[in-house]
Amino acid sequence: MSTSVSTTPKQQTLTADDFSRSVSSLSSVGKRSSSLPTDVAKNEDLVDEEDEQFTWTKAIFRRKQTIPPDLDAISTRRSVFDDPDLAPHYWPKKDYENLHRFDPTARWTYKEERALVRKLDWKIMLMAAIGFSALNLDRSNINQANSGTFLPDLGLTTNDFNLGNTVFKLSFLCAELPSQLISKRVGPDRWIPTQICLWSIVTISQFWLTGRTSFLVCRALLGVLQGGYIPDLILYLSYFYTKTELPMRLALFWMSMNFCSILASFLAYGTLHLNGVADKAGWRWLFMIEGLLTLIIGFFTFFRMPPSPTQTKTWFRPNGWFTEREEIIIVNRVLRDDPSKGDMHNREGLTLRRLWTAVCDYDLWPVYILGLMFGIPSAPPSTYLTLLLRNIGFNTFNTNLLTIPSQALGMVTMFVITLISESVDERSIVSMMEDLWTLPFLVALYALPNNPNPWIFFAVVTGLLSYPYTHPIQVGWCSRNAGAVASRTVNASLYNMFVQASGIISAQIYVASDAPRYQRGNKILIIICCVNICVLYPATKAYYIWRNRQRAKIWDAMTSEERAHYLSTTKDVGNRRLDFRFVH
């Protein structure tokens, strides 16, 4: 399997003397804050990533075969910064916010690093997961409301509901890039809490919905305010984690979505019982209570998202979260893993030129197409689950409880598929497993009689919606193949735009004329599923193998002098560079 071996060089090339003086001056930072022996700066103490890299599959399935490292041994990974000839081409920009903690000679132990990653998980990842749960609570509560009297109370039909979902997805899609531009300019630490608070206010306002127009307006506003939130949050997490740590955490991230959905089902069960309180329907109280809950989360997020690892000190947190030593470790481990993260300041906006370059990056178009197609087969059954269960004979309250098993099983399958992807270092074939899982259940759903046994119908739909969600794998795949911070930001938004576009398409498959079994819709889903499995995923893998072979043929034919000249003179950035290899 090919892996990414590239990062974006610094625009200004340093001489060997400049590099030596920089290392000399910066190394004093590490020496003042470290009690490690002086010989740790030797390159032989460094760890090769493939030998050291922690994986969950090793920890769970090969625990007895894995020799635990000496906790006091050096865990610093080897990188381009250890080569005096290559390092000047990858040096962080002068206005990089963490430059004062960058030290190529810094070394740290396994004990220090593991303790610090645990600290990052509690300080950074936990708050991110809570914020992500707030997003999913407010964008999916329409499904719980639909299990009650939402549609008849507002005089809406199934087609009106589809239109509302389409308006939401379209607004979400259109807001992706603008949101990213705002986030890069003002910083995700400011923009993310603002987004949460604004969409929470709109969620609360749904308490006063009066009909079709107000319903569509609120769906549009929610889409505009929530668009771009996920890429913003992923960009923020990349400031603190390495590329090998982030995929599994993204999987846990999306697992929190399922956990949130389970809690939302219990919450909906309770709030829908408020039907008639103050002469208001239960679904109105659902929007009010969940909106207030996420508004509180948004307010506290302002105080729990520092701009960067070295900017945690503020008036309400005078001591900060990390010591000087911990800041050095965080900054250097991230830059050693991906030097391109030093290319931009965390308050630096994207230029139109860099934006256009990222949009025209045709090497990522195959992943975008997958983002458009992979989720369509499972989306309509998921969106209409509560309505399908109501139509088959279950009451409002049981319907909400019956959505829980598929959410719980989905957490398990998502975690397992991420473990498999990590174990085999594979993305295209593993990501295809979502559609491969969905296909037999769609066939079974299509083959059921017109009046099936309710519990058999429930079992088939629950099995279908327990699919291994591969979106986290594909998000990481897109990020890795972008190769630079500027393009990674835009490419993540573009990928998510295609995912939202798939939601617009899927919202048109189950229509009122096909109710209540949606046989024609299920037939369309089966066809799309087969196209994904037989054509799109294999073709994407073949394309990236071909592109890597093209570049390897040119790069491997170069002498060391020609490579050095290329690195010092090229204007290629990110995945445009000859030494970049696409993952697949």
Side-chain angles (χ1 to χ4, degrees), residues 14-21 84-85 88:
L14 305 179
T15 66
D17 290 341
D18 291 335
F19 171 61
S20 299
R21 286 195 296 270
D85 296 324

Side-chain angles (χ1 to χ4, degrees), residues 448-469:
L448 284 176
N450 288 331
N451 295 301
N453 180 290
W455 288 107
I456 293 178
F457 181 85
F458 164 72
V460 171
V461 175
T462 298
L464 190 159
L465 297 180
S466 300
Y467 59 86
Y469 192 44

Side-chain angles (χ1 to χ4, degrees), residues 274-303:
L274 295 176
N275 192 47
V277 174
D279 292 327
K280 300 295 182 181
W283 59 264
R284 295 184 185 273
W285 291 111
L286 174 70
F287 288 132
M288 172 67 74
I289 293 172
E290 293 188 354
L292 287 172
L293 179 61
T294 55
L295 182 62
I296 294 172
I297 292 174
F299 176 76
F300 280 104
T301 303
F302 277 106
F303 303 96

Side-chain angles (χ1 to χ4, degrees), residues 209-414:
L209 289 178
T210 57
R212 186 174 185 267
T213 300
S214 58
F215 166 66
L216 295 177
V217 169
C218 282
R219 297 313 293 170
L221 288 174
L222 282 173
V224 168
L225 295 173
Q226 293 180 347
Y229 178 83
I230 295 174
D232 291 340
L233 203 52
I234 293 173
L235 173 66
Y236 178 75
L237 291 174
S238 71
Y239 295 161
F240 299 88
Y241 291 102
T242 67
K243 65 177 180 289
T244 57
E245 294 166 344
L246 201 52
M248 179 54 68
R249 282 164 176 79
L250 289 180
L252 295 173
F253 202 59
W254 265 275
M255 285 172 65
S256 73
M257 176 181 71
N258 289 45
F259 182 71
C260 174
S261 298
I262 293 173
L263 292 180
S265 296
F266 283 113
L267 189 59
Y269 181 84
T271 53
L272 290 175
H273 274 87
L274 295 176
N275 192 47
V277 174
D279 292 327
K280 300 295 182 181
W283 59 264
R284 295 184 185 273
W285 291 111
L286 174 70
F287 288 132
M288 172 67 74
I289 293 172
E290 293 188 354
L292 287 172
L293 179 61
T294 55
L295 182 62
I296 294 172
I297 292 174
F299 176 76
F300 280 104
T301 303
F302 277 106
F303 303 96
R304 300 294 299 179
M305 290 190 73
S308 76
T310 62
Q311 296 172 304
T312 60
K313 293 182 180 180
T314 185
W315 62 270
F316 55 84
R317 195 168 48 239
N319 296 324
W321 280 346
F322 307 111
T323 65
E324 180 180 322
R325 172 66 179 165
E326 288 173 332
E327 290 178 358
I328 290 173
I329 296 174
I330 295 174
V331 171
N332 286 278
R333 66 193 293 272
V334 167
L335 287 180
R336 280 180 169 274
D337 175 73
D338 185 356
S340 72
K341 292 179 181 178
D343 284 352
M344 296 187 73
H345 190 274
N346 62 1
R347 297 279 192 268
E348 182 179 350
L350 294 172
T351 64
L352 291 178
R353 182 178 179 182
R354 298 185 85 166
L355 178 63
W356 181 246
T357 299
V359 171
C360 296
D361 186 359
Y362 55 83
D363 281 320
L364 284 173
W365 292 355
V367 181
Y368 298 157
I369 294 173
L370 291 179
L372 178 68
M373 298 296 292
F374 88 103
I376 292 178
S378 59
S382 177
T383 301
Y384 281 87
L385 177 60
T386 53
L387 194 59
L388 289 171
L389 293 176
R390 283 287 307 279
N391 289 340
I392 210 70
F394 295 104
N395 64 39
T396 297
F397 306 113
N398 288 339
T399 291
N400 278 288
L401 294 179
L402 288 174
T403 64
I404 294 175
S406 62
Q407 298 290 346
L409 291 172
M411 293 174 65
V412 175
T413 56
M414 186 193 305

Side-chain angles (χ1 to χ4, degrees), residues 47-61:
V47 176
D48 291 319
E49 184 177 346
E50 60 270 17
D51 296 332
E52 183 276 337
Q53 178 180 335
F54 169 84
T55 65
W56 284 92
T57 46
K58 289 180 183 177
I60 296 175
F61 301 114

